[in-house]
Amino acid sequence: MPKGFYQRRPVKERLLEKTVKTSSCWLFKGASLRSGYGCISIDDKTYTTHRVSWNIFNGEIPLGFEVCHKCNIKKCINPSHLYLASRRKNSLDAVRDGLIKVGEEHGSSKLTYKDVLYIRSNYKKGIKGNGSYLLAKKFYVHPTTIHRIATGKTWFHERKNNIYKPSIPDKRKCLHKRYK
């Protein structure tokens, strides 16, 4: 064996030795990414620990799916707290759980929920008085933004008791490519 070469321990062993098991979660205490997810190096590549945990305990991750947390704790690798979902489902769950800011809570939002309600109630397609251009000028946004709000392509979440809940538009009524 050449000098400096050593045999790596199995990934499962390396993963579990840096894990603290609490009453419900298995918290990875090793290295982590800026995003807050735990990470581990395998064959000189870095992988997030929750994905590695899924691979070890449940098998391969199918194409088009993400490994999500039921407990919303990024460092948890407990296989019973992980589930597979599409990117869309994962994003909607994150909005529902308050992990992603939407609407006026989002840092770059120029509109308030009140503005959106005003736009929806006053928007009339093709009418110069309350069309996209006039409303856009009033709220200092692009006319396309007004059209997307009015047709439900953006701001499709509902606000109840100051908490945003995603409401998925009916695919049959919406012809936008995102919902097909």
Side-chain angles (χ1 to χ4, degrees), residues 78-178:
N78 186 344
S80 65
H81 290 196
L82 303 175
Y83 67 97
L84 293 176
S86 67
R87 172 148 305 175
R88 177 162 172 75
K89 171 87 168 86
N90 189 18
S91 295
L92 290 172
D93 289 348
V95 170
R96 181 197 64 217
D97 297 338
L99 302 175
I100 296 176
K101 302 294 181 199
V102 294
E104 60 190 65
E105 300 295 319
H106 191 277
S108 63
S109 175
K110 292 182 179 180
L111 301 170
T112 64
Y113 193 69
K114 233 180 197 178
D115 297 338
V116 171
L117 292 176
Y118 179 86
I119 290 166
R120 286 197 177 137
S121 63
N122 291 302
Y123 175 81
K124 291 176 180 57
K125 187 176 179 182
I127 297 177
K128 291 188 179 188
N130 280 329
S132 297
Y133 291 99
L134 219 80
L135 289 169
K137 203 171 186 180
K138 179 176 181 168
F139 292 106
Y140 302 102
V141 294
H142 196 275
T144 304
T145 303
I146 300 295
H147 179 74
R148 288 181 179 160
I149 289 170
T151 56
K153 292 175 185 166
T154 58
W155 285 77
F156 56 83
H157 45 274
E158 298 173 29
R159 181 175 157 187
K160 293 180 181 169
N161 301 326
N162 288 329
I163 297 172
Y164 289 98
K165 304 236 182 213
S167 60
I168 304 169
D170 187 353
K171 289 182 182 179
R172 292 167 292 175
K173 293 180 182 174
C174 186
L175 300 175
H176 193 267
K177 64 182 176 185
R178 177 172 57 193

